[in-house]
Amino acid sequence: MLSSDVIAAVDYPDPRGLNYAQLTEVLTMAFASPKVLGASVVILNPTQAQPDDQLAHYIVDMLTKAMQH
């Protein structure tokens, strides 16, 4: 879970989550396992983001980096 300090466009903000680098590291380890069958992005609400927010791009970049290792 990303911290709401990092990503504000969520339905249930919680500052106890990880930052992008930490979550990318965790996801990279998880996606390296042949036991992982899928993943979901949940509670991301771009309608709560500022118009110039690059939130969706950051999420896609993070997932792409994590899956490429």
Side-chain angles (χ1 to χ4, degrees):
M1 169 173 97
L2 281 170
S3 169
S4 58
D5 292 339
V6 175
I7 179 173
V10 295
D11 293 326
Y12 305 103
D14 189 337
R16 297 174 295 170
L18 305 174
N19 65 34
Y20 283 112
Q22 292 167 326
L23 186 55
T24 301
E25 184 177 339
V26 169
L27 291 174
T28 298
M29 288 186 281
F31 290 145
S33 170
K35 295 181 180 184
V36 171
L37 300 177
S40 296
V41 175
V42 296
I43 311 180
L44 172 64
N45 189 347
T47 63
Q48 294 184 7
Q50 297 296 319
D52 61 345
D53 193 314
Q54 295 294 305
L55 170 68
H57 294 288
Y58 293 142
I59 301 297
V60 170
D61 288 344
M62 178 181 59
L63 291 170
T64 301
K65 287 177 186 174
M67 288 188 247
Q68 288 178 342
H69 291 101

